[in-house]
Amino acid sequence: NAEKAQAETVTPETVVEAVRQHSRLYTAEATSRKTMTYTSQNKLSLSALGIDKTLDLPLGKTEARIPVTVTYKAYIDLGRVDGRNVRADGETIRIILPDPVIVETACTVDHENESQKKQLLGKGLTYEQYQEMVRQAKERAWTELPDSAQQAVIETAKVSATEILIPQLRALGFSKIEIAYRDDFSLRQLVRRKE
């Protein structure tokens, strides 16, 4: 059988080289939305007869609302596959792929629905306060991204990797192909990166 003979001449290094051609394999995305609210009261500090007093200024309230959408994608870094991940025996091959990684690919502020209401004597948000609110929204959006959404993008990454690699491995002569992942991987170990 020509395929069997071809598979027997393929080395793990050849397989690694073929797999690594794909580098990072990005897949489906998940989105998470978070709206941050900010309220402050402009205050007036007084000092008289050694007594310090702080008074809320009438008409000194500021309220801000900033809706943020964060987009994530999962990928499997096929460039990290090496000879230790490949077991080939005749027409049979087993590859253990690296853990999926989830990446924050975009963060957008919904400017149409953001608002800032400032009473007459209220202080507006500073640039730094605004940026801090967006940063907090991103962090909370990630924290609140349900496990089911994370699991969905990871599973899609796994399926995509399998769909790309199986035809390539068949072309190398393998007929029994197993694409596997670390058995003890869990969402708690999921690496999150910002690109």
Side-chain angles (χ1 to χ4, degrees):
N1 186 332
E3 279 185 4
K4 185 175 182 179
Q6 182 184 354
E8 286 176 354
T9 61
V10 172
T11 65
E13 290 74 26
T14 308
V15 173
V16 167
E17 194 174 304
V19 169
R20 283 184 166 183
Q21 288 175 5
H22 301 289
S23 191
R24 289 184 179 181
L25 184 64
Y26 287 90
T27 60
E29 57 185 38
T31 57
S32 183
R33 291 173 180 78
K34 185 70 188 168
T35 298
M36 299 300 293
T37 53
Y38 168 90
T39 304
S40 76
Q41 179 71 45
N42 197 2
K43 298 181 183 296
L44 179 63
S45 294
L46 300 172
S47 185
L49 303 170
I51 299 170
D52 293 328
K53 196 165 192 170
T54 305
L55 301 172
D56 288 344
L57 279 178
L59 302 175
K61 192 173 184 182
T62 300
E63 292 179 332
R65 192 174 165 275
I66 304 175
V68 174
T69 301
V70 185
T71 304
Y72 304 96
K73 287 187 179 178
Y75 72 82
I76 294 171
D77 190 352
L78 299 178
R80 289 182 47 226
V81 172
D82 62 30
R84 294 170 298 182
N85 307 113
V86 178
R87 299 281 176 269
D89 182 19
E91 293 178 69
T92 302
I93 187 164
R94 182 174 198 264
I95 300 178
I96 299 174
L97 294 184
D99 293 346
V101 174
I102 201 161
V103 182
E104 178 189 300
T105 56
C107 176
T108 55
V109 176
D110 180 1
H111 293 295
E112 282 185 25
N113 291 307
E114 94 181 323
S115 63
Q116 189 173 168
K117 294 175 187 161
K118 189 175 74 145
Q119 291 179 332
L120 182 64
L121 301 176
K123 288 183 179 176
L125 274 177
T126 65
Y127 175 78
E128 291 77 16
Q129 288 171 318
Y130 183 88
Q131 291 303 317
E132 177 59 18
M133 285 180 68
V134 171
R135 188 196 65 73
Q136 285 179 21
K138 286 166 64 170
E139 290 301 316
R140 290 186 188 170
W142 168 256
T143 303
E144 294 171 15
L145 184 66
D147 286 356
S148 58
Q150 294 179 53
Q151 194 67 48
V153 290
I154 288 168
E155 291 308 318
T156 307
K158 289 179 177 181
V159 168
S160 296
T162 301
E163 287 174 348
I164 281 180
L165 294 178
I166 284 181
Q168 194 172 19
L169 295 169
R170 283 210 171 107
L172 290 172
F174 296 102
S175 59
K176 296 178 187 137
I177 300 164
E178 182 185 354
I179 308 292
Y181 298 86
R182 190 163 56 98
D183 289 336
D184 58 349
F185 174 76
S186 75
L187 285 178
R188 285 186 299 283
Q189 299 165 319
L190 183 62
V191 174
R192 175 194 176 202
R193 295 208 173 112
K194 293 179 184 179
E195 297 283 292

